[in-house]
Amino acid sequence: MKFEMRRSHVSEVKQELIGVPSPHGFESPSSWISRAALSQGVRVGELLHYFGASRLGDFDMGLSQKKAQVIADTCGISIIHFDFSLKMFSTLRSIDQTGRNFLLAFDERYGRYRYCPGCLHHQRVKHFPLHWRFKTWRFCPIHQCLMEDRCLHCGSNITLSADMFHSGPQKKGIAFLDRCLRCEQKLSAHWEKVQGLTAEDLLDDEAMHQLLVGRFILSALYHGHFFMKKSDRITKRKLSEILGLMHLGGTDRDWVGIDNRELLRRRTARAGYPVED
């Protein structure tokens, strides 16, 4: 399908596309637009152009209430599906206009994501939740493992929004987002090996503190404030102070050398077995 129709007024918008999937749960806008473009057999840029949006900007950060309403009406889906992402990224823009301090960036058009192999394995609809793009979200509390930073098969970064229709090693397309868009291998193939690693006392207290503060920061973004204990008092703090909290918790620093492979090595060494180089 090639899009040729354009609209001049929001009031004229009505459902014009068929078969577009709804955003799933806490799915990020960039993940959804990738799946939506595939459902229509077009590139992401072509679908965004049809919606009157630009491919040049960050779709996660740039999605507004007005744009979301046009998209929802055109696709015949409820705008309620965008409520969570609109709230999170709107709050983020209020303290970090570009998202540079909080988001895993790749370039001006694509965002970089981490992923939990356990979540990707169990999802009925394969997608990337928006919190997987945040720097501070470093482990999955459901599957108790560190987030993966790249494809373990080819080493490529995970970036969205993506042209799934023309991805893969021979550009023949990728049907589901649990597959690497470069090499087509399954991102979640090792989920059973890493499940439960962060619950096995393989990380020191400082590292565990960083993991917990990272979750706390996303909760603060959602609620628009956070609480801190000082002496015997618990005080409500403004969201603008959260950058200081990131520094205090160490979540603004990179974890060089600490990933699920390192935790697997530590588990093996603790059990008394030789560790492979």
Side-chain angles (χ1 to χ4, degrees):
M1 177 186 297
K2 293 294 182 181
F3 298 127
E4 298 176 353
M5 297 176 61
R6 296 303 302 275
R7 59 186 63 81
S8 58
H9 301 287
V10 174
S11 60
E12 297 175 0
V13 175
K14 59 182 179 180
Q15 182 176 356
E16 298 170 351
L17 302 181
I18 304 299
V20 180
S22 298
H24 193 275
F26 302 123
E27 184 173 12
S28 75
S30 288
S31 172
W32 173 79
I33 197 68
S34 301
R35 296 193 301 112
L38 179 65
S39 74
Q40 303 301 300
V42 298
R43 295 180 182 273
V44 168
E46 189 172 358
L47 184 58
L48 288 175
H49 181 71
Y50 183 70
F51 291 144
S54 172
R55 186 70 167 95
L56 298 177
D58 185 323
F59 188 61
D60 288 334
M61 289 290 285
L63 185 63
S64 65
Q65 182 78 27
K66 183 177 179 179
K67 289 180 182 178
Q69 187 65 66
V70 171
I71 291 171
D73 290 344
T74 307
C75 297
I77 61 179
S78 173
I79 195 173
I80 292 175
H81 294 294
F82 294 103
D83 281 356
F84 183 73
S85 57
L86 286 170
K87 178 178 176 61
M88 287 293 288
F89 287 113
S90 174
T91 303
L92 178 58
R93 286 193 301 270
S94 70
I95 59 171
D96 184 12
Q97 189 171 5
T98 64
R100 188 173 302 171
N101 292 312
F102 290 85
L103 300 179
L104 295 164
F106 189 71
D107 64 24
E108 63 181 9
R109 293 188 302 165
Y110 302 95
R112 186 162 66 86
Y113 286 75
R114 297 189 183 108
Y115 67 93
C116 168
C119 287
L120 279 181
H121 173 77
H122 287 101
Q123 286 174 350
R124 182 180 61 83
V125 177
K126 310 303 181 184
H127 66 280
F128 279 66
L130 65 85
H131 48 278
W132 288 4
R133 190 179 172 188
F134 281 79
K135 294 177 181 179
T136 64
W137 192 267
R138 288 173 166 161
F139 89 115
C140 175
I142 298 173
H143 297 100
Q144 294 291 308
C145 63
L146 296 178
M147 302 293 289
E148 297 291 2
D149 199 49
R150 61 190 67 242
C151 172
L152 300 187
H153 303 282
C154 68
S156 62
N157 291 318
I158 309 300
T159 58
L160 297 171
S161 53
D163 290 317
M164 298 174 67
F165 192 65
H166 296 282
S167 293
Q170 296 181 324
K171 306 298 182 183
K172 292 183 178 180
I174 299 294
F176 304 103
L177 283 178
D178 64 337
R179 298 277 179 171
C180 175
L181 295 167
R182 175 174 292 181
C183 72
E184 201 178 5
Q185 295 298 311
K186 204 166 188 177
L187 296 170
S188 60
H190 62 299
W191 74 273
E192 289 182 290
K193 292 182 180 179
V194 302
Q195 183 171 264
L197 285 174
T198 58
E200 296 184 19
D201 197 27
L202 299 169
L203 291 167
D204 58 31
D205 291 341
E206 180 182 359
M208 286 303 302
H209 177 65
Q210 289 186 36
L211 293 182
L212 295 176
V213 171
R215 291 186 65 196
F216 180 61
I217 286 172
L218 263 73
S219 175
L221 281 171
Y222 178 76
H223 293 289
H225 59 262
F226 63 98
F227 295 91
M228 285 192 69
K229 184 175 182 179
K230 188 174 183 180
S231 299
D232 294 328
R233 295 185 302 113
I234 297 178
T235 59
K236 185 176 180 179
R237 312 300 288 267
K238 296 179 180 179
L239 193 59
S240 58
E241 300 178 54
I242 204 168
L243 284 173
L245 178 65
M246 289 175 67
H247 179 70
L248 179 66
T251 54
D252 57 345
R253 299 194 296 268
D254 291 330
W255 279 19
V256 179
I258 301 181
D259 55 18
N260 284 321
R261 260 60 52 208
E262 172 61 23
L263 295 188
L264 286 170
R265 286 191 287 269
R266 293 180 184 184
R267 173 201 275 172
T268 301
R270 189 174 65 181
Y273 295 101
V275 179
E276 297 180 1
D277 294 332

